[in-house]
Amino acid sequence: VSAAEPSTPARVDQGLRSCSAATITPPLDLAWRVKAGAEILGAPVIHGDRVYVASADAGIRAFGLADGRAVWSYDCGVRSEATPLVLDDILYCGSDDGTFHAVDATTGAPRWRFKTGAKITGAANWFSRDGALFTVVGSHDTLLYCFTADSGRLAWTNASLSYINGAPAIAGNRAVYGGCDAFLRVVDLANGATLFATNTGAYIPGSPAFDGTDALVATVGGLVLAVNIVSGAELWRYRAPGGQWFASPATDGKVVVIGGHDRAIHCLDRATGKRRWQVTAGGNIDCTAMIAGDKVVVASDDGLVYILNLADGKEMWRYDIGQPSKGSPAVAKGIMVIAASDGTVYAFRSR
């Protein structure tokens, strides 16, 4: 098996840190926009010279990164709220009927599918072991599933107590995920066994992020937590007065950035959890921020996309897409791509 070449979604790496070495220099100009079906709740992903997105009209679509030209579409049969994963030449994405689809990323032809017991809203992640690739995805049937990436053979499942909404983060031989049962679970990737679980006190709507041996996770109870995934010890917690988190944390190892339902973007010190800066937006924020070099890209429910200076939160650029963005931006090859909830995908380039 050759080295895996994963897609570049908002979360970027297996640790779901939402941090990219790719840079963008504002101001940006609109390169293209295209209507990609109905409502989009997940994020676009960039892989090679293409952009992939799933929408509520049951379609997964591929577009040219340079010009937005339609390449192919695949019919899931029902709506999809999930963010695709592209690994080598296969795209993986869940849908609302609980089906996990594997699709040829070049042609859009089906490869394999597996029916779970309830809808899939989170993205899949991946890992390699003994020369083989595996995908891992959570379902609202309370199970975390692990499949062989090439054939869809079920390798193992891990049981939680309620819906799993987000994606599992992966580091080394461990995966960590949260869900509506409020537990953050650490799983052995070799066999799916739970190594430990910690109760965060409120349900976890998004995905955790791995940074070193620590997991960063946000809850609807208004907490951002740092938990060591070896010892299970809580390292710090941050609470935003009146805030709820539906987005997932982004980190570059030095800071943690997250937007909330207090209409603010918060930047925290990664080591201590102390707030470094806070910037008010025009609406609630469900979009997971992207750290791109020394900048932050984030969108809010007021229809605005913002680029902020990572050091101090100073606004550097904004663009009104007219609709909320629930999924997160993707940045690669000097292009930033973001999807609006009305099904429009936008691509921007530096001037």
Side-chain angles (χ1 to χ4, degrees):
V1 178
S2 62
E5 297 180 359
S7 52
T8 306
R11 307 310 300 277
V12 178
D13 58 11
Q14 290 166 285
L16 307 186
R17 296 181 353 126
S18 196
C19 178
S20 174
T23 59
I24 47 174
T25 303
L28 307 182
D29 288 327
L30 181 66
W32 53 263
R33 66 181 174 188
V34 64
K35 187 74 170 179
E39 182 182 30
I40 297 173
L41 295 176
V45 301
I46 298 171
H47 185 75
D49 60 358
R50 292 185 181 176
V51 175
Y52 301 89
V53 67
S55 72
D57 70 345
I60 301 173
R61 293 175 171 82
F63 300 96
L65 177 60
D67 55 12
R69 176 181 56 85
V71 179
W72 57 254
S73 64
Y74 169 86
D75 187 0
C76 295
V78 296
R79 64 183 266 143
S80 175
E81 305 173 37
T83 297
L85 166 72
V86 185
L87 187 61
D88 288 340
D89 61 348
I90 304 179
L91 177 148
Y92 305 89
C93 192
S95 56
D96 276 15
D97 66 349
T99 302
F100 188 52
H101 303 263
V103 180
D104 189 295
T106 302
T107 66
R111 289 286 192 94
W112 56 262
R113 65 183 65 181
F114 185 98
K115 185 70 176 293
T116 71
K119 71 177 181 177
I120 297 171
T121 60
N125 208 335
W126 68 279
F127 68 95
S128 61
R129 187 177 73 243
D130 299 330
L133 296 177
F134 297 82
T135 57
V136 186
V137 69
S139 170
H140 275 213
D141 68 4
T142 78
L143 297 178
L144 185 73
Y145 291 82
C146 177
F147 304 99
T148 55
D150 58 350
S151 65
R153 178 182 62 83
L154 181 63
W156 52 256
T157 62
N158 178 271
S160 68
L161 299 176
S162 190
Y163 304 149
I164 302 170
N165 296 303
I170 289 176
N173 63 350
R174 299 185 181 196
V176 60
Y177 71 96
C180 287
D181 62 1
F183 280 90
L184 185 70
R185 286 182 165 80
V186 179
V187 177
D188 188 334
L189 289 174
N191 54 24
T194 299
L195 299 175
F196 75 83
T198 184
N199 193 334
T200 66
Y203 86 80
I204 301 166
S207 307
F210 256 136
D211 187 48
T213 57
D214 300 336
L216 305 166
V217 64
T219 77
V220 294
L223 287 177
V224 180
L225 301 169
V227 178
N228 185 279
I229 58 106
V230 177
S231 67
E234 182 183 308
L235 305 177
W236 53 257
R237 58 173 53 195
Y238 171 80
R239 183 184 294 276
Q244 290 181 311
W245 311 112
F246 287 86
S248 304
T251 184
D252 66 352
K254 298 177 182 178
V255 298
V256 178
V257 179
I258 187 169
H261 275 213
D262 59 351
R263 299 189 171 200
I265 303 116
H266 302 250
C267 180
L268 316 178
D269 186 276
R270 166 64 184 88
T272 66
K274 301 295 183 183
R275 188 172 63 207
R276 288 195 178 186
W277 52 260
Q278 178 178 325
V279 172
T280 300
N284 291 332
I285 299 167
D286 294 320
C287 168
T288 297
M290 159 68 80
I291 299 174
D294 58 356
K295 300 172 185 69
V296 177
V297 187
V298 67
S300 76
D301 282 355
D302 64 354
L304 291 177
V305 183
Y306 302 88
I307 296 180
L308 309 176
N309 187 298
L310 181 60
D312 56 14
K314 180 180 179 182
E315 183 179 314
M316 304 178 73
W317 178 84
R318 65 166 62 186
Y319 188 92
D320 188 357
I321 60 174
Q323 296 284 331
S325 178
K326 303 298 184 181
S328 305
V331 179
K333 302 181 179 180
I335 298 176
M336 186 268 285
V337 181
I338 194 164
S341 60
D342 68 352
T344 304
V345 181
Y346 296 81
F348 300 89
R349 288 192 185 94
S350 299
R351 289 179 185 169

